[in-house]
Amino acid sequence: MTEAPAIRVRPATRDDAGAITRIYNEGIRGRGATFETRERAVSDVLPWFDDPRFPILVATEGDDVVGWAAASSYRTRACYAGIAEYSIYVATSHHGRGVGRALMPAFLDALEAAGFWKVLSRLFPENTASRALCARFGFREVGVYEKHGQLDGVWRDVVIVERRLAE
């Protein structure tokens, strides 16, 4: 029996935009991780690479991209410049296989290296895998936004998670 290739994490390049788009669209279709309903094209993802301050990492198994993590701006006001929002998505074929556990420590290191002092996100309460990943890496749940948005005509709450960096 051959062992599966190890999950490796590296900075994403523009060449990864197609795989990132594919995985993001799986998440959009799955309706468990985002309010987004419109699937993305590679041309929607490529601008993410325009600001090198915001890390984008991919997890690979062999030559295949099987997950990604990306940071984005939290707010435009200068006082929030050290806070990043983040997203992590894993290919559905790789759920439960440690991709998020491989991505998160490298991603947190990349955020610290970029000068961020805090990272946060919002998760659907029933997204137990994401909540467990956050808890494992020292995020705290700071509250719930009730009826934060509608997805397919249904109001959804989100759990706010945050982690201070460089501690």
Side-chain angles (χ1 to χ4, degrees):
M1 181 171 164
T2 336
E3 234 180 85
I7 302 295
R8 301 203 185 282
V9 176
R10 63 169 170 76
T13 69
R14 295 174 78 82
D15 291 339
D16 296 314
I20 290 168
T21 302
R22 176 183 48 79
I23 293 166
Y24 188 28
N25 285 338
E26 287 178 356
I28 291 169
R29 285 191 298 273
R31 298 296 201 261
T34 181
F35 283 106
E36 298 294 342
T37 57
R38 180 184 62 82
E39 290 191 26
R40 298 305 194 256
V42 172
S43 60
D44 295 315
V45 171
L46 284 171
W48 299 1
F49 292 90
D50 291 346
D51 188 341
R53 182 165 180 257
F54 295 104
I56 306 171
L57 303 180
V58 291
T60 60
E61 185 179 63
D63 293 331
D64 298 325
V65 172
V66 296
W68 57 269
S72 60
S73 175
Y74 167 64
R75 299 280 189 267
T76 58
R77 291 175 54 197
C79 61
Y80 298 126
I83 303 172
E85 273 198 67
Y86 84 92
S87 296
I88 290 183
Y89 283 80
V90 175
T92 54
S93 62
H94 282 69
H95 285 183
R97 294 179 54 188
V99 175
R101 285 191 313 274
L103 273 167
M104 187 64 87
F107 186 58
L108 294 172
D109 288 347
L111 287 165
E112 282 188 40
F116 291 100
W117 64 76
K118 184 189 282 190
V119 60
L120 57 84
S121 193
R122 290 170 302 279
L123 312 171
F124 290 143
E126 51 282 337
N127 188 342
T128 56
S130 288
R131 290 175 77 180
L133 180 68
C134 287
R136 178 184 193 119
F137 287 97
F139 284 77
R140 67 186 190 110
E141 295 187 355
V142 296
V144 174
Y145 287 139
E146 295 179 352
K147 293 186 175 181
H148 195 61
Q150 288 191 19
L151 182 59
D152 298 328
V154 177
W155 284 106
R156 302 285 299 270
D157 298 345
V158 292
V159 176
I160 308 136
V161 295
E162 71 171 8
R163 185 179 187 281
R164 290 187 309 226
L165 301 170
E167 290 187 356

